[in-house]
Every structure is written in C-alpha cells, then in structure tokens.
Amino acid sequence: MAEYVKLEELPKLLNVPPRTGHFSEVVTDTLYEKGLAINFGVNEQVCGAKRISMGRTVIPPHTANERHVHLNAEAAMYIVKGTMVLMIGPEAKITRCPEGTFVFAPEGVIHGVANASRTEEVILVFAYGGVPSKEAARIVFINDDRSVYPPRGWDEE
C-alpha cells in the first residue's frame, strides 16, 4: 500500500536532500569500456546519487566491448536504438536484443555487448543498482586466451 505524507513533513523523512543533474554536467567516459562512448548522467559525481548509477552508451558500428563482470552491482540495460548483441556467460552465448528490449545481468555474470551493424550505431540506457559509481560497481575484465572473443557469428546481421 502506498504511503502518503504532507508536503511540509517530507523533509523529515529524507536522509539526503534531493539534487538533480543537468545535461551540462554529464560525465563522458571513452576509456571505461574501450570502443564505447559512455555518458554517466546519474551518479555520485554528477548529482550526489548514493545507490544508483545510470547513463547512456553508444556502441559504434561493428564494435564489441571486452567481456567483463560487475562484482558489486547488478546491471540493467534498455535498448533505445538499433540491435545490440549480448554475449553472456563463460561461453559468450549470443542473444540479439532489438530496440525496446530490457536486459538484466546479475552481479558476477560475465557479459559483453556489441553492434553487428556496419552502418548504424546502437544506443542504450543502463543502470548499475546499489552503487553510486562505476568504481563502486567494480568491473573486472576477462582475460582468457583460450576462448575466441567476440565469438564467431557475433557480427552476422
């Protein structure tokens, strides 16, 4: 059941005063996941977030990032434009995710993302739950010389 409170009583319930981020304050990161353009719009640095990080990723045509895990955060994605190729698990199982798809990767699950198109970019919105920053999500990239990554067939349109 929903809880209601009088407007003047709301400040008594808040642990952190609200603050908003603005477009001019978005943090762009092109080194975090090589090959991708990632904009963090909600995190500790931009707006003082304590338990969520959120942003937008652009995957250029015919690009795959390095597979990785988030040790301290769940990751959720929503595909806004294009078809993202999700490669999940140790075997990098390929799943094609068209516009309008929600994707969830629990913490500790190996995953990578790619764009098989030779001409169009993929745009997605992502969130890391329970953490205020990418550093707190604790991303670890997989170094596995025995496996072919990205796997054969990832870039078939």
Side-chain angles (χ1 to χ4, degrees), residues 38-99:
I38 300 175
N39 298 324
F40 286 89
V42 175
N43 65 12
E44 192 170 44
Q45 181 181 354
V46 173
C47 61
K50 298 296 180 205
R51 292 180 289 282
I52 191 166
S53 298
M54 184 175 175
R56 181 185 80 147
T57 298
V58 176
I59 308 173
H62 204 249
T63 299
N65 72 345
E66 298 175 279
R67 55 187 190 151
H68 58 279
V69 298
H70 303 274
L71 297 178
N72 295 335
E74 298 173 323
M77 297 168 254
Y78 177 77
I79 313 309
V80 176
K81 178 184 173 193
T83 297
M84 183 186 81
V85 178
L86 173 67
M87 296 164 284
I88 196 155
E91 70 286 352
K93 179 183 175 198
I94 295 172
T95 302
R96 300 197 186 284
C97 306
E99 290 178 17

Side-chain angles (χ1 to χ4, degrees), residues 1-125:
M1 177 182 275
E3 180 179 356
Y4 291 87
V5 64
K6 293 189 182 295
L7 184 59
E8 59 272 8
E9 294 174 11
L10 182 60
K12 297 174 192 173
L13 301 176
L14 295 174
N15 294 328
V16 179
R19 201 170 121 202
T20 59
H22 301 279
F23 182 78
S24 62
E25 298 171 347
V26 169
V27 177
T28 301
D29 191 332
T30 56
L31 301 176
Y32 176 50
E33 292 188 42
K34 295 174 187 160
L36 310 185
I38 300 175
N39 298 324
F40 286 89
V42 175
N43 65 12
E44 192 170 44
Q45 181 181 354
V46 173
C47 61
K50 298 296 180 205
R51 292 180 289 282
I52 191 166
S53 298
M54 184 175 175
R56 181 185 80 147
T57 298
V58 176
I59 308 173
H62 204 249
T63 299
N65 72 345
E66 298 175 279
R67 55 187 190 151
H68 58 279
V69 298
H70 303 274
L71 297 178
N72 295 335
E74 298 173 323
M77 297 168 254
Y78 177 77
I79 313 309
V80 176
K81 178 184 173 193
T83 297
M84 183 186 81
V85 178
L86 173 67
M87 296 164 284
I88 196 155
E91 70 286 352
K93 179 183 175 198
I94 295 172
T95 302
R96 300 197 186 284
C97 306
E99 290 178 17
T101 302
F102 287 93
V103 176
F104 175 69
E107 62 187 74
V109 172
I110 299 170
H111 62 282
V113 298
N115 178 1
S117 172
R118 303 287 199 283
T119 58
E120 302 293 321
E121 62 190 13
V122 169
I123 298 175
L124 63 97
V125 173

